[in-house]
Amino acid sequence: MVDIGAGAATVAVALQEALGNARQRRIEYVAFDPNLMMRALGERILGHVAKGFRSARYVPTLDDLDPNDGHRMLFAFSYVAHQDAVTTDHLEQWVSVIKEAVDAADRAVELIYTTAANLSGDKFPELGAMLKRAGITPKTKPVRVKVQRRYPSMDGSDGRVGWDWQDRNWQVQAEHWVLRS
Ligand SMILES: C[S@@+](CC[C@H](N)C(=O)[O-])C[C@H]1O[C@@H](n2cnc3c(N)ncnc32)[C@H](O)[C@@H]1O
């Protein structure tokens, strides 16, 4: 799994929460984030969750990805699609690493993206068009996500953190793309 715009490795934490030990153990988690502070935080978080994965690490640049890594490859973009800091140059770089992975592989390369619904400035339609121009037609499937809002709350006097659950759900938009040339 290649987590682009990984921030503090939240996708790794979510995988640990969602998967059983056996499935998590099969995953090589590779994170990239250009923000050095987020990366430093994420590396500390990986210090707690890495042992559940086959391997887990940050790469300093996208050039450090190995397109032949792994049996299947899933790119994750979690809450990166609307970032103002994402430019056309970045999209071109993403297309290039995704294309390398698709060309290297005799297997499906997949992509999943999640973002806040109903915001303008989603860059993924443009990414899809750029992939098509590069000879890769994404087969896209919407993903239905229902996440109830919750906020941390202090429970009692022992300082433990609990959750304050809200009635509303987060407005999440998510898609799963299967990529072949
Ligand atoms: C809202 S955070 C999401 C972090 C994490 N993926 C999550 O879901 O919690 C957006 C992240 O995108 C990163 N980012 C911004 N521009 C980027 C780019 N061009 N390429 C990769 N990551 C980028 C930021 O540094 C930030 O960590």
Side-chain angles (χ1 to χ4, degrees):
M1 159 160 276
V2 179
D3 185 10
I4 295 186
T10 26
V11 166
V13 175
L15 287 171
Q16 189 189 39
E17 271 188 28
L19 301 177
N21 287 347
R23 286 205 290 166
Q24 193 192 348
R25 172 69 48 207
R26 296 208 298 257
I27 296 174
E28 294 178 29
Y29 173 81
V30 181
F32 166 70
D33 200 289
N35 182 314
L36 294 182
M37 211 163 73
M38 294 309 286
R39 180 174 156 194
L41 267 176
E43 279 172 338
R44 289 182 66 181
I45 287 176
L46 284 190
H48 295 279
V49 300
K51 62 180 183 304
F53 292 91
R54 178 174 296 178
S55 63
R57 67 197 166 99
Y58 275 76
V59 285
T61 74
L62 288 178
D63 293 335
D64 298 302
L65 292 175
D66 179 355
N68 295 300
D69 232 4
H71 190 54
R72 294 173 67 185
M73 199 175 270
L74 172 64
F75 287 91
F77 292 87
S78 170
Y79 285 81
V80 190
H82 291 91
Q83 294 288 303
D84 286 339
V86 174
T87 64
T88 305
D89 281 354
H90 296 131
L91 296 182
E92 275 168 7
Q93 208 189 1
W94 298 351
V95 167
S96 158
V97 292
I98 292 168
K99 185 167 167 48
E100 258 193 284
V102 171
D103 288 348
D106 187 20
R107 41 124 166 86
V109 169
E110 290 161 76
L111 179 158
I112 189 154
Y113 87 87
T114 54
T115 195
N118 308 322
L119 286 183
S120 59
D122 178 0
K123 314 268 181 2
F124 273 68
E126 193 182 341
L127 184 78
M130 289 166 81
L131 283 168
K132 274 189 202 155
R133 286 199 292 277
I136 299 166
T137 303
K139 203 169 129 194
T140 67
K141 296 181 212 160
V143 179
R144 286 164 68 90
V145 190
K146 202 169 151 189
V147 186
Q148 197 179 353
R149 286 184 191 221
R150 62 180 188 179
Y151 295 97
S153 70
M154 288 298 182
D155 279 353
S157 55
D158 62 358
R160 261 195 297 161
V161 175
W163 295 108
D164 264 343
W165 290 92
Q166 314 282 307
D167 292 336
R168 290 167 58 205
N169 292 330
W170 291 108
Q171 298 290 305
V172 184
Q173 174 185 328
E175 271 187 2
H176 175 209
W177 297 3
V178 178
L179 305 160
R180 288 201 175 83
S181 47

